[in-house]
Short mmCIF file of all heavy atoms in Angstrom, two decimals:
data_model
loop_
_atom_site.label_atom_id
_atom_site.label_comp_id
_atom_site.label_asym_id
_atom_site.label_seq_id
_atom_site.Cartn_x
_atom_site.Cartn_y
_atom_site.Cartn_z
N GLY A 86 4.13 22.96 -9.00
CA GLY A 86 4.95 22.83 -7.79
C GLY A 86 4.83 21.48 -7.10
O GLY A 86 5.36 21.29 -6.01
N PHE A 87 4.13 20.53 -7.73
CA PHE A 87 3.92 19.21 -7.11
C PHE A 87 4.99 18.22 -7.56
O PHE A 87 5.28 18.12 -8.75
CB PHE A 87 2.53 18.66 -7.46
CG PHE A 87 1.42 19.47 -6.86
CD1 PHE A 87 0.82 20.50 -7.58
CD2 PHE A 87 1.00 19.24 -5.56
CE1 PHE A 87 -0.18 21.28 -7.02
CE2 PHE A 87 -0.02 20.01 -4.99
CZ PHE A 87 -0.60 21.03 -5.72
N THR A 88 5.52 17.48 -6.61
CA THR A 88 6.49 16.43 -6.94
C THR A 88 5.93 15.04 -6.68
O THR A 88 6.53 14.06 -7.08
CB THR A 88 7.80 16.62 -6.15
OG1 THR A 88 7.49 16.69 -4.76
CG2 THR A 88 8.52 17.88 -6.58
N THR A 89 4.81 14.97 -5.98
CA THR A 89 4.14 13.68 -5.76
C THR A 89 2.65 13.88 -5.99
O THR A 89 2.05 14.80 -5.43
CB THR A 89 4.35 13.17 -4.32
OG1 THR A 89 5.75 12.98 -4.10
CG2 THR A 89 3.63 11.86 -4.08
N VAL A 90 2.07 13.01 -6.82
CA VAL A 90 0.61 13.04 -7.02
C VAL A 90 0.08 11.62 -6.95
O VAL A 90 0.74 10.67 -7.36
CB VAL A 90 0.21 13.69 -8.38
CG1 VAL A 90 0.56 15.16 -8.41
CG2 VAL A 90 0.83 12.96 -9.56
N CYS A 91 -1.13 11.48 -6.42
CA CYS A 91 -1.75 10.16 -6.30
C CYS A 91 -2.94 10.12 -7.24
O CYS A 91 -3.83 10.98 -7.18
CB CYS A 91 -2.20 9.91 -4.87
SG CYS A 91 -0.84 10.02 -3.70
N GLY A 92 -2.94 9.12 -8.13
CA GLY A 92 -3.92 9.08 -9.21
C GLY A 92 -5.09 8.16 -8.92
O GLY A 92 -4.93 6.99 -8.55
N MET A 93 -6.28 8.69 -9.13
CA MET A 93 -7.51 7.93 -8.89
C MET A 93 -7.71 6.84 -9.95
O MET A 93 -7.24 6.98 -11.08
CB MET A 93 -8.70 8.89 -8.87
CG MET A 93 -8.79 9.69 -7.58
SD MET A 93 -9.08 8.56 -6.19
CE MET A 93 -8.98 9.71 -4.81
N PRO A 94 -8.43 5.79 -9.57
CA PRO A 94 -8.52 4.62 -10.46
C PRO A 94 -9.64 4.66 -11.49
O PRO A 94 -9.86 3.67 -12.18
CB PRO A 94 -8.76 3.48 -9.46
CG PRO A 94 -9.53 4.11 -8.36
CD PRO A 94 -9.03 5.52 -8.26
N ASN A 95 -10.38 5.78 -11.62
CA ASN A 95 -11.51 5.77 -12.57
C ASN A 95 -11.04 6.01 -14.01
O ASN A 95 -11.47 6.94 -14.68
CB ASN A 95 -12.62 6.75 -12.15
CG ASN A 95 -12.18 8.20 -12.08
OD1 ASN A 95 -10.98 8.50 -11.99
ND2 ASN A 95 -13.12 9.11 -12.13
N THR A 96 -10.15 5.11 -14.43
CA THR A 96 -9.65 5.11 -15.79
C THR A 96 -10.38 4.02 -16.56
O THR A 96 -11.30 3.40 -16.03
CB THR A 96 -8.13 4.83 -15.75
OG1 THR A 96 -7.90 3.72 -14.88
CG2 THR A 96 -7.36 6.03 -15.25
N LYS A 97 -9.97 3.77 -17.81
CA LYS A 97 -10.60 2.71 -18.60
C LYS A 97 -9.52 1.90 -19.28
O LYS A 97 -8.92 2.42 -20.21
CB LYS A 97 -11.53 3.34 -19.63
CG LYS A 97 -12.47 2.37 -20.27
CD LYS A 97 -13.37 3.10 -21.23
CE LYS A 97 -14.22 2.12 -22.00
NZ LYS A 97 -14.99 2.79 -23.03
N PRO A 98 -9.20 0.68 -18.88
CA PRO A 98 -9.86 -0.01 -17.78
C PRO A 98 -9.59 0.64 -16.42
O PRO A 98 -8.60 1.35 -16.25
CB PRO A 98 -9.24 -1.41 -17.84
CG PRO A 98 -7.92 -1.23 -18.51
CD PRO A 98 -8.11 -0.10 -19.48
N VAL A 99 -10.48 0.34 -15.49
CA VAL A 99 -10.34 0.81 -14.11
C VAL A 99 -9.08 0.20 -13.51
O VAL A 99 -8.69 -0.93 -13.83
CB VAL A 99 -11.60 0.37 -13.32
CG1 VAL A 99 -11.38 0.49 -11.81
CG2 VAL A 99 -12.82 1.18 -13.75
N ASN A 100 -8.43 0.94 -12.62
CA ASN A 100 -7.25 0.39 -11.94
C ASN A 100 -7.72 -0.52 -10.79
O ASN A 100 -7.63 -0.17 -9.62
CB ASN A 100 -6.35 1.51 -11.43
CG ASN A 100 -5.07 0.97 -10.81
OD1 ASN A 100 -4.70 -0.18 -11.05
ND2 ASN A 100 -4.40 1.79 -10.01
#
Side-chain angles (χ1 to χ4, degrees):
F87 293 93
T88 54
T89 299
V90 294
C91 302
M93 284 296 175
N95 61 341
T96 46
K97 194 178 174 187
V99 165
N100 185 18

